[in-house]
Structure formats: structure tokens, C-alpha cells
Amino acid sequence: MNSPQNNNEPTFFKKLKVSLKKVLPFIKNKWISFKTIILKQSVILKESLSRKDQSQINSTSDSQSDNDQKRTQSKNVQKPALDKVLFGFNVGYSVIKNLILTIVVIGLIGAALAGGLGIGYFAYLVSGEEIPTYEEMKADIENVSTTSAMYYATGEKISDLKTDLKRSEIPLSEMSPLVQEAIIATEDEYFYKHSGVVPKAVARALVQEVTGASTTSGGSTLTQQLVKQQILTNEVSFKRKANEILLAFRVENYFTKEEILENYLNVSPFGRNNKGQNIAGLNEASIGIFGVKANELTLPQAAFLAGLPQNPIVYSPYTQTGTLKEDLAAGMSRKDEVLFRMYRENYITKEEYDTAVAYDLTQDFLPQETDVKDSTDYVYNFVEQQARQIIMEQLYTADGYSAEDLSNDQELSDMYYNQADQDLRMNGYTVYSTIDKGVYEAMNDVVEQYANPEISYDENNNPIINNTSYLGNVKVADYIDEETNETKTLVEPVQNGAVLRDNATGRIISFIGGVDYELTQVNHAYQSPRSPGSTIKPLLAFAPALEEGIITPATMLFESSAKVPSWENGSLGVHEITNAGNVIPNKWTDVRTGLTQSSNIVTSKIYQQMKDTYNMEEKLESYMHKMGFGSDIITTEEYQGVYYALPIGGITKGTTVLDQTDGFSTLANKGNYTEGYIIEKIEDHNGEVIYQHEVKPVEVFTPETAYLTTDILRDVLDSGTAKDVKGQLNFTADIAGKTGTSDGQKDIWFIGYTPQVTLSSWIGYDNAVTTSVNDLSNSGSESPSLRNKRHWARLMNAIYNANPTILGTDQAFQQPDGIVEAKVLAATGMQPGKVKLANGKEVTASGATKTELFNKKFLPKTTTYNFGFSASDKELADYWEKTSKTASDEAAKKAKAETDKKKDETKKAEEAKDKAAKDKAEKDKKAQEEAQKKADEAKKKAEADKKAE
């Protein structure tokens, strides 16, 4: 956040202070010289007197009579005494004269220096300023307000800023003379004598500033205050003050005292009325606080109103809702002070003063009334609230306060809140938001079509529910009102909060505040902290552990019962953490699978080791703080204490949707956090930028850690708890994400991100009161998680249809140079090798392998006996026993296979030999038969030939 800059350095005060620092040592040296001279003269005087006494006594004749000696001694004593007095007077007179002359000279030089600097600096400050004409000054002085407006990032106007400021003008003749006298006596006793500025008051204020006085009396006349309110700004600088003085003289030249007083009483703020509205001008103050016209005010009423403009929020009798404050002491004390000043200036008599002070003014205050305000919507409220916060921060930082100061002083906070609110609404600001109108409307159209149920009421005020919400059924439950002890009916739809933001800059492109603004104005995107469920796992457990090299994606953990310390019923006990469905798998799982499948056991064991073995409490808190999760979200006690359920959503205060979105954007933005924001810039009525958002990235994780975590979260959509999401999208993109469900299914989350943007979605009931129905488990035919993922996909499709370039579908997460692939054993997540067992035996860790990604700084090593992260001795012993037995069984099996192979080969050889012999016999037999056949044929032929012959 940028605070207003003072461009007028070096200031007059700083120059004067420098001059005083040079002059004061000179005066100090003169004073030391003066004391030194006095001391030296005193010593000389004593020595001289001593010498004179001795010489005069010695010169007295021994022959003198006793009486002569007495007379001589008496004269000798009287003369030195007189000499002493005369000498001391001369010395003192000389020194004091010189000192006075020195001080006068120094004073004249200092005054000349200060005056010269003051006049020169004043001329410098007002140089280059255009002098307004009478018409311009008249328009500014009589202008009650300038409308401020808010805009979408795409240029369309969101709305003019509505204001509850009540102000109506009346002529001075209709204002009670008592109020006029009270204002003058209190704010400007020389009003009818000065020409716009009281030099003595300005000089007094100047001296108080230079000397750093703890109390200041101020130096502004009514004319100056009018100039400050209507022509200039609230900027704290000497340039503005100089212009104020110059303009005050000019106003006095063109306007009568009556015109100045009338305008001042018509435009000055008077706090709040009995409806909680901001009021300005005497007319609205009279009617809104006492219910009378401005010319009908009594003396106590007039004194009270006259005291309000100095600090209208503090002295106002009403709160923002129009109720009377419990403590009215500040306003009453101010009223009595005004009465005293009226008495001191002879506007009222002593009797009138005493009567007015004794009067019980509280009986005149009006009772509270209801104010009917204009309706707004989520985007209007969000932009307005953030703009007011920015202006409020500028105001209190300019005055030297911090956010902590305001958090410790509610009265101070209220004062700056109301000042910022008034400035925002009345000073003609133009507020430029980051919201894309087309995308915002597209996302909220999805809510209107699929998530906004129809709720109406019959003549008996019984709810009529048309359950058209795809997010879940409307919650209808009876409850007992604790204040009235009456049975009432609670009607709550399933609410939705969503945020779409740019990963690199933090720009909030769009959001969903709720399913129906008319039902509740709570903005579920950033005003409703809830348990983050499992969406906190990658941020609080996996990414920090990967960053520290404590785990790799291939690290193996045994998913056994995870028992952790826990506070239950005020005492320390043991809590058993299980996976969803109260399941304990009792199997080995790698880190990648543990996060992909959202294992509570894997997450808790990693977090417990980081705390108990690696003492990472402070580091974990630091990681989260860098991502915007301050102590107001997760306390230091929760990091330091036995809160082992933190990484699975067990957070006392909860996180908002915007908090979680910012955290996941850190992973998407290569490990760099940027704060989500909705105000791009604010301009004043002259078009000058008074605020411009600055992107300030904070390095939380290395790009390697961010990429490894993102790559695992890709698997969530490919094969994990959100594997059904991609099939519902109308486009393809590189997406990573995480599901989340809080205890009892009260909060259902899905947060997904591309390289360019992150979109989060939360659904749940508001649970305004505790009833038997607080979760979404039985609120629809589909599981709550499935409903929310389907809703997230609809939102993404709507965004893509509204503006395809926003999602960055053409981009992919870029693998840093520090990430490499390596093959590891699927069973241990480490390299194959010899492992020495507890019994002294040695086995070879081998088997199936898999390819995994690693940070070059933390490459997998050869498998060790203690390969299992957070594994117990029994779990390791059981694994290696099983591995050893498996190895023995496989060796025996291999030996048997070798024997069987040899037997088989022998058998096959014998069978081949037998077959060859048999084949040879058959072949010989066949040859013999062929030979016999040929012989028979030859014989037959011979016989035939013979017969033919």
C-alpha cells in the first residue's frame, strides 16, 4: 500500500531546526564564558582584598594608642567592603550587559534567519500555483460533494458510490445566533477581526511543531478550515498549509464574514444522526440529533453541536447503526468546553453558563430510527470496501499510526474509517478495479442458473422451497432463539464462494460472493473464514518438506494408524488420524500417491516429523506467513503446540477462499507469492493518481519445489480425487488442483490452476446457528465433493467462453533445470543396492523400478534399512523380513527351476535320440519297401515283355 508522499523536502521546520541546532551551542558557549568570567573575577577580588588587609595592618604604628588603632582598623575594614561592592557591581554589570547584547544580537540574527527562511520557503511552496478566480472559489466553497465512481477493468462503470451523507443548506438567518457565537468562541475567537489568518496562532502552532510539544493549540481560522474542506485536500504537508494560508487571504478579499460563516456551517461534518447516517451542515445536525430546526436550538444544544466539527466521530452521540453510544463523556466534555469559551468571550453570562452546564442534555437526543439504504451487490461492496481500506491506510500512515495502533484502539480505528468513508464518497474519486465484467457476469450466470434456489414464503411466513440448486438442498431447520427462547425456522441455501486470480500479479479477475445477495450480503470469497480441509495439505506439509529435502515424490511411508497428541475436553490426550471413511490401509505408499489420493495419514506423518524430528515450527510459520497466512489465520501457538491436525484442515480460525487462492497461486507462480488485489488505482477529481497498486513478489519456495508439488497435483486430476473434472471441460489445458473436505463435510473445496490463473470454489452452509443439519452429507443425490467439482468445471467453461485467453490454455508448466528424472525401486523409492539387516544378514534391494522426478539437490540414494519415512521399527522389520523371505523363496524357486530345466533338457535330449532312431528305422524300412516295390515292378515288366514276345 502506498502512503501519500511529501515532495516538499527539505521542509521549513527542518531548516529551522537545523538553524536552532547551530545557534543553541553558541548560546551555551556564551553562558559558559559568562560563568567562567564571574568565577575568575571572584577569585581576583578575594586575593586583592586579602593583600590590602595585610598591608594596612602592618603599616599601623606600634606607638598608636589603642583608640587610634581601633579607629584605623575600623576604617581599614569599611574601605575594602565598599571597594568589594563597587568592584562586584562593575564586573557584574559589564558581564550582564555583554550577555544581554549577545542574546539580543543572536535573537535578531535568529529571527532574521527564521523570517528569511520562512518567507523564502513560503514563496517557494506557493510558487507555480494557479490562483483561483472568484467564480472558481465560489463553486468550490459552495460545492457540497463530488460523486465518486467505480469501474471494471474492462472500462465499464460498476456504479457511482452511494453515500448516506445527509446535507441540506440553509441561510445564516435561519441558524441560531447561539451556534454562530459558540462556533466563533470555540474555533476562531478573532473571526471578525482577522483577514483570514491569525499570525500569532500560526506562529504558536509553528513553535509547538518545532519544539515537539506534546499538546498543540492549532492555528487554523474558520476561513482556513473552509478552504481545507472545500478547496484543498487532507494532505499533510507544508505546501498544502502554505496554499491554505494564501487562499484564506484571498477568500477574505472576495467573501463577507457572513458568507464564510454560512458556508462553513453548511458544509462542516457533524458526525452521525439517529439513523446512523453521516450528516453535514447545521440543519441536518439540528434535525438529526435533537429533532429541532437550526434556529430553535437551546444553549446546551447549540454548544454541543458547535463542538462536533473538531472531531465529529468521537464527539457524535450515535454509532454507525444510529444507537446512542454507551459512553457520551467525550461529547459532553466538549460541550462544557464550548460553554466555557462562550462565557470567557462574554457571549453568555455566568448564570447562563452554570445553567447550561448543569442541564442533562442526554434527554434531548433522539431515539434510534431505521435507515432504508439503497441495494447494492457483491462487486459493488467488494470494490468499495477495498478502496475505503486503502484510503484509510493512507490517512493513518500519514498521521504516523500503524495498523497495530488502530487494532488496539477502536475509537481511533472508527475515526479513520469514517474519515476514509467520507473522503471516498464525496471527493470525486475514480476507482479502477481489476474485475473483468464479462467474466464476472459469466461466472455469476452459472450461479444464477445452477446454484440459486427459489425460496419464497406463504402467508404464515413458512418457507416454500423450490430446490433447483445443483449445489445441494436448502437447509430448513428449527432452532431455539437463545435471547427470546422462541422456536424459529432457519432457511439457508448451500452457499458458494469463488475467486479467479492471475497467478503472477495477484489481480482478481472475477469472484463469486454468494448464491443470492438478497439472502445474505456476506462475501463468501473473502469474508467467511472456514476450515480449508485437505486443500491446506500441499501448502503446509508437502511443499515445505520438499523444499527442505526431507521427502521426495518417491519417498515411502507406511499408512498405519497415526496417533498424535491432542487436546480433548481440556486435557492432553491421543487422537487417531485415519483416511477418508475412517480407513487405515496398512500399506506402503509413496509421497506422490499420498498427496494424489489425499491421504490424511501420509500428510500427518510428514507434518509430525517436521515438527518433532526437524524442529521446523518456526520455519513452517515463516513459509505460511510469506504466503499471506498471518497470525490472524493460524496462530503461533498452533504451530508450536500439539495441533497435529493443522495440515489436514484443523485450523481454529479458518481461511477464506481468497487466502487459499493466493496460496495455490504461489505454487503456480514458480514459488513466488503475490497478494490478491482488486483495486488497480484510484484517481482524485483532478485525474491525479493517489494510489497505484504495486506487485511485490515474495519468494516462498524454489521453482523446483513449486514444480514438483504442481506435478503431483496434476495427478490429482489425472488419477486422483479429481479425475472426473477434465472430462467435464470444453477445452484442454495443463491443470493442477486439490480437493478438500472438512470434518463432517461442512466445507467442500476444489482449487485448480493453470500456469496463468487459479480458480477456487468452496461450498457449504453458513451455519448461522447450530442445528442438527450442519453438513452437506445428505444434501443431494451426488456426493458434495462431486457437486462442487462439477460446479468448478461449469465455471471454467463459462470463463473460457467469455474470454478464452484468460485461462492460458496454450501454456504449460515449465520444468526448471533443477528437476531431473531418475529410476528408483518402486518398493523403496531409492536406488537398488545391498542392505544389511538387523540380524546381520545382507539382502539385495531390487525389483520393479519406476521413473520419478527429483530436485537435483536431493537425488535418491542407495536403499538403506531405514528407507521408510516415519516408519516404526516393527514396520521396517516386517518389511525386511518379508523381503528376506521373499528373496529366499525366490532363490529356492530359482534353484528348483534350474533343476527342472536340466531334467527337462535331459528328457528332451533322450526323446530326441529315440525319435531320431525311430525316424531312421522308419526311413530304412521305407527305403527297403521302395526297393522291393521297384524290384517287383521290374519283374512284372520283364514278365510282360517276355509274354509279349
Side-chain angles (χ1 to χ4, degrees), residues 44-226:
I44 293 171
L45 179 61
K46 287 181 180 179
E47 292 176 350
S48 175
L49 290 174
S50 177
R51 288 194 298 271
K52 284 185 178 182
D53 288 345
Q54 187 62 39
S55 62
Q56 288 175 353
I57 292 172
N58 293 336
S59 65
T60 303
S61 175
D62 292 338
S63 62
Q64 285 181 314
S65 63
D66 292 340
N67 290 335
D68 290 340
Q69 288 180 357
K70 289 179 181 179
R71 284 195 298 269
T72 302
Q73 288 176 356
S74 176
K75 289 179 181 179
N76 291 337
V77 170
Q78 291 175 1
K79 187 175 181 180
L82 180 60
D83 291 342
K84 183 192 296 184
V85 172
L86 292 174
F87 183 77
F89 174 78
N90 290 332
V91 171
Y93 172 76
S94 176
V95 172
I96 291 173
K97 180 182 71 174
N98 290 330
L99 180 62
I100 291 173
L101 287 173
T102 301
I103 291 174
V104 169
V105 171
I106 292 172
L108 291 174
I109 293 173
L113 176 63
L117 285 174
I119 294 171
Y121 190 57
F122 184 88
Y124 159 71
L125 291 176
V126 299
S127 63
E129 294 294 325
E130 294 185 7
I131 300 176
T133 64
Y134 166 76
E135 290 75 16
E136 290 172 337
M137 287 192 298
K138 181 177 175 61
D140 285 335
I141 288 173
E142 295 179 354
N143 179 38
V144 293
S145 65
T146 305
T147 302
S148 298
M150 302 181 296
Y151 287 84
Y152 289 102
T154 41
E156 304 89 343
K157 180 184 283 189
I158 296 173
S159 172
D160 288 331
L161 272 154
K162 301 176 178 64
T163 175
D164 65 353
L165 180 71
K166 295 274 291 179
R167 174 186 273 158
S168 54
E169 298 179 78
I170 55 175
L172 191 65
S173 59
E174 295 181 16
M175 301 180 188
S176 168
L178 291 172
V179 176
Q180 299 178 42
E181 294 167 353
I183 282 288
I184 292 171
T186 307
E187 296 291 335
D188 189 355
E189 58 190 292
Y190 303 108
F191 177 67
Y192 287 109
K193 299 177 182 177
H194 64 67
S195 299
V197 176
V198 178
K200 180 176 70 174
V202 174
R204 182 174 61 245
L206 184 67
V207 171
Q208 289 169 341
E209 172 67 21
V210 171
T211 59
S214 58
T215 58
T216 57
S217 56
S220 295
T221 63
L222 288 179
T223 311
Q224 288 175 263
Q225 293 181 47
L226 182 63

Side-chain angles (χ1 to χ4, degrees), residues 345 504 668 735 799:
E345 298 298 322
I735 304 175
I799 295 165

Side-chain angles (χ1 to χ4, degrees), residues 392-608:
M392 182 177 173
E393 186 175 344
Q394 289 184 333
L395 289 172
Y396 69 68
T397 52
D399 289 346
Y401 291 106
S402 66
E404 185 178 358
D405 293 330
L406 269 66
S407 66
N408 295 329
D409 188 336
Q410 189 58 48
E411 188 174 283
L412 187 67
S413 178
D414 290 343
M415 182 184 74
Y416 281 106
Y417 176 94
N418 285 282
Q419 181 61 56
D421 188 71
Q422 181 176 317
D423 288 355
L424 176 62
R425 298 179 187 282
M426 298 174 56
N427 288 358
Y429 291 145
T430 303
V431 180
Y432 296 93
S433 77
T434 61
I435 302 299
D436 184 300
K437 184 175 186 289
V439 174
Y440 178 80
E441 291 178 346
M443 288 178 62
N444 282 272
D445 283 346
V446 172
V447 173
E448 180 65 29
Q449 183 177 355
Y450 294 99
N452 187 5
E454 296 177 9
I455 303 174
S456 58
Y457 295 86
D458 62 19
E459 62 277 5
N460 297 319
N461 204 35
N462 295 316
I464 302 173
I465 310 299
N466 181 4
N467 268 316
T468 58
S469 174
Y470 284 74
L471 298 184
N473 299 333
V474 174
K475 172 181 174 180
V476 180
D478 292 334
Y479 69 98
I480 305 296
D481 189 315
E482 295 181 357
E483 294 185 1
T484 64
N485 206 32
E486 297 177 338
T487 299
K488 295 184 177 180
T489 301
L490 175 72
V491 180
E492 285 184 351
V494 178
Q495 282 291 351
N496 177 221
V499 172
L500 174 69
R501 59 151 280 177
D502 181 83
N503 293 327
T505 64
R507 180 172 64 96
I508 298 174
I509 302 167
S510 182
F511 70 96
I512 293 171
V515 298
D516 189 344
Y517 183 81
E518 293 183 3
L519 289 177
T520 175
Q521 288 74 55
V522 174
N523 190 326
H524 298 84
Y526 82 106
Q527 286 181 322
S528 182
R530 303 294 290 246
S531 167
S534 295
T535 58
I536 201 73
K537 289 176 179 177
L539 305 178
L540 185 52
F542 288 87
L546 288 167
E547 180 75 9
E548 298 292 329
I550 294 173
I551 60 172
T552 72
T555 297
M556 302 299 295
L557 298 93
F558 193 73
E559 287 191 280
S560 58
S561 174
K563 294 182 179 180
V564 297
S566 175
W567 283 102
E568 296 178 4
N569 300 321
S571 60
L572 188 61
V574 176
H575 174 70
E576 184 175 42
I577 294 177
T578 63
N579 288 344
N582 203 31
V583 173
I584 301 175
N586 285 315
K587 66 176 184 179
W588 289 96
T589 304
D590 61 25
V591 164
R592 179 179 288 273
T593 303
L595 180 53
T596 300
Q597 300 299 331
S598 197
S599 169
N600 292 335
I601 295 174
V602 170
T603 305
S604 298
K605 287 190 173 184
I606 291 173
Y607 185 75
Q608 188 175 15

Side-chain angles (χ1 to χ4, degrees), residues 147-422:
T147 302
S148 298
M150 302 181 296
Y151 287 84
Y152 289 102
T154 41
E156 304 89 343
K157 180 184 283 189
I158 296 173
S159 172
D160 288 331
L161 272 154
K162 301 176 178 64
T163 175
D164 65 353
L165 180 71
K166 295 274 291 179
R167 174 186 273 158
S168 54
E169 298 179 78
I170 55 175
L172 191 65
S173 59
E174 295 181 16
M175 301 180 188
S176 168
L178 291 172
V179 176
Q180 299 178 42
E181 294 167 353
I183 282 288
I184 292 171
T186 307
E187 296 291 335
D188 189 355
E189 58 190 292
Y190 303 108
F191 177 67
Y192 287 109
K193 299 177 182 177
H194 64 67
S195 299
V197 176
V198 178
K200 180 176 70 174
V202 174
R204 182 174 61 245
L206 184 67
V207 171
Q208 289 169 341
E209 172 67 21
V210 171
T211 59
S214 58
T215 58
T216 57
S217 56
S220 295
T221 63
L222 288 179
T223 311
Q224 288 175 263
Q225 293 181 47
L226 182 63
V227 167
K228 178 181 175 181
Q229 288 185 58
Q230 296 299 104
I231 301 179
L232 299 176
T233 67
N234 288 321
E235 176 192 2
V236 181
S237 71
F238 289 111
K239 183 177 180 63
R240 188 206 59 76
K241 192 67 177 178
N243 283 315
E244 176 189 302
I245 292 172
L246 186 66
L247 288 171
F249 283 124
R250 190 165 178 79
V251 167
E252 289 275 350
N253 285 334
Y254 283 98
F255 300 90
T256 66
K257 291 289 185 181
E258 288 70 24
E259 287 177 315
I260 294 171
L261 183 59
E262 178 182 300
N263 281 298
Y264 177 85
L265 288 171
N266 273 326
V267 302
S268 292
F270 283 84
R272 294 185 179 274
N273 62 14
N274 64 328
K275 295 179 181 180
Q277 297 169 317
N278 285 307
I279 52 176
L282 181 62
N283 188 51
E284 290 298 335
S286 303
I287 296 172
I289 295 176
F290 296 116
V292 299
K293 294 181 179 179
N295 58 2
E296 298 174 351
L297 292 165
T298 65
L299 176 58
Q301 292 171 345
F304 184 86
L305 294 183
L308 289 174
Q310 186 192 66
N311 200 334
I313 302 305
V314 173
Y315 297 143
S316 174
Y318 297 108
T319 66
Q320 295 177 10
T321 62
T323 58
L324 271 174
K325 293 179 180 177
E326 294 182 3
D327 185 3
L328 296 169
M332 292 304 176
S333 176
R334 176 65 175 166
K335 179 258 300 180
D336 292 344
E337 181 183 352
V338 173
L339 287 168
F340 173 75
R341 295 190 182 190
M342 292 180 73
Y343 168 62
R344 185 184 63 186
E345 298 298 322
N346 296 317
Y347 286 118
I348 59 175
T349 65
K350 181 66 165 61
E351 182 181 358
E352 289 174 322
Y353 168 74
D354 291 336
T355 302
V357 169
Y359 181 75
D360 181 13
L361 189 61
T362 58
Q363 62 186 319
D364 292 356
F365 292 133
L366 294 174
Q368 180 188 20
E369 290 184 28
T370 302
D371 175 34
V372 179
K373 296 183 178 180
D374 295 331
S375 61
T376 52
D377 57 14
Y378 288 116
V379 70
Y380 176 97
N381 279 355
F382 197 177
V383 175
E384 177 199 44
Q385 288 162 1
Q386 293 300 300
R388 179 170 51 242
Q389 181 62 36
I390 288 169
I391 294 172
M392 182 177 173
E393 186 175 344
Q394 289 184 333
L395 289 172
Y396 69 68
T397 52
D399 289 346
Y401 291 106
S402 66
E404 185 178 358
D405 293 330
L406 269 66
S407 66
N408 295 329
D409 188 336
Q410 189 58 48
E411 188 174 283
L412 187 67
S413 178
D414 290 343
M415 182 184 74
Y416 281 106
Y417 176 94
N418 285 282
Q419 181 61 56
D421 188 71
Q422 181 176 317

Side-chain angles (χ1 to χ4, degrees), residues 668-679:
N669 193 32
K670 301 177 182 179
N672 295 305
Y673 165 80
T674 54
E675 183 181 9
Y677 70 98
I678 197 171
I679 305 298

